[in-house]
Amino acid sequence: MTQSLDAAALAQFVDHTLLKPEATRADVEALVTEGASLGVYSVCVSPSFLPLDAQGLKIATVCGFPSGKHHSDVKAAEAARSVADGADEVDMVIDVGAAKEGRFADVQADIAAVRAATPAPVVLKVIIESAALSDHEIVEVCRAAEAAGADFVKTSTGFHPAGGASVHAVEIMNATVGGRLGIKASGGIRTTADALAMIEAGATRLGLSGTAAVLGGFEADGGY
């Protein structure tokens, strides 16, 4: 599949992302302008920047970010506010500690609360922090996300010290829910080769902050 991708096709996998705490309104406006020029699928910004003129791009935001250590009703309220402010997609963070304790029913209930607050056509992505989980925990959390009605599972916030996306994690996620849920790889994807490897492993969306460099790799490397 990746052999047929060019920069324009790869751009349609991308949530062009700016979630740094120090980001300003001017930074977000520049993100949107750059994203539109690159032809990305969406921009992903912090909820305080909504509503936002996204120049025709989809708008994604985050919920319970970055720790996931929020009460479910608070996450649900945050997500509902974001949708009211124009978000098309919400990327929520699970309580990773609950997953580490094997409380997958609680993880499912947490996701379900946000899903109830953001009904279709809003797209709900579930950030699982795959680098902090065992293979078994990744599988169980993905199953919980599917049972709760999520649309995507997502590897990482990009802020966890354990790391971001890995091909191994994406492969496990794909084997568990691929074909039924989307799979978003995010965190530490900085080159064209990284991005293509994630897609080859099963990713259907990419969270990138350095999108221009990733897409520019096609030209720099003479095409893929």
Side-chain angles (χ1 to χ4, degrees), residues 3-57:
Q3 292 179 346
S4 63
L5 288 177
D6 59 12
L10 181 59
Q12 278 296 296
F13 282 79
V14 175
D15 291 345
H16 190 41
T17 302
L18 178 61
L19 296 170
K20 292 180 179 180
E22 66 271 23
T24 65
R25 176 68 63 175
D27 294 332
V28 169
E29 290 172 352
L31 179 87
V32 170
T33 297
E34 182 181 46
S37 70
L38 293 171
V40 300
Y41 182 79
S42 78
V43 289
C44 183
V45 300
S46 300
S48 60
F49 288 113
L50 304 178
L52 177 68
D53 178 3
Q55 299 184 29
L57 301 175

Side-chain angles (χ1 to χ4, degrees), residues 24-152:
T24 65
R25 176 68 63 175
D27 294 332
V28 169
E29 290 172 352
L31 179 87
V32 170
T33 297
E34 182 181 46
S37 70
L38 293 171
V40 300
Y41 182 79
S42 78
V43 289
C44 183
V45 300
S46 300
S48 60
F49 288 113
L50 304 178
L52 177 68
D53 178 3
Q55 299 184 29
L57 301 175
K58 294 288 187 181
I59 299 171
T61 193
V62 290
C63 169
F65 193 89
S67 72
K69 294 294 193 183
H70 307 67
H71 289 294
S72 295
D73 58 348
V74 174
K75 290 182 184 179
E78 181 181 30
R81 167 67 186 268
S82 291
V83 172
D85 284 342
D88 301 295
E89 306 192 347
V90 173
D91 295 19
M92 68 165 288
V93 187
I94 66 164
D95 181 343
V96 181
K100 297 302 296 181
E101 292 174 343
R103 294 190 287 113
F104 302 112
D106 291 341
V107 173
Q108 180 177 329
D110 187 44
I111 300 165
V114 178
R115 174 81 282 179
T118 57
V122 177
V123 172
L124 177 61
K125 310 191 200 87
V126 176
I127 306 173
I128 70 170
E129 291 292 21
S130 56
L133 301 179
S134 69
D135 291 0
H136 169 70
E137 290 160 353
I138 292 172
V139 169
E140 291 302 318
V141 169
C142 286
R143 289 174 174 167
E146 182 173 20
D151 300 298
F152 275 76

Side-chain angles (χ1 to χ4, degrees), residues 199-219:
I199 294 171
E200 190 68 32
T204 58
R205 193 80 67 84
L206 302 172
L208 304 179
S209 56
T211 306
V214 170
L215 298 180
F218 280 94
E219 181 177 344

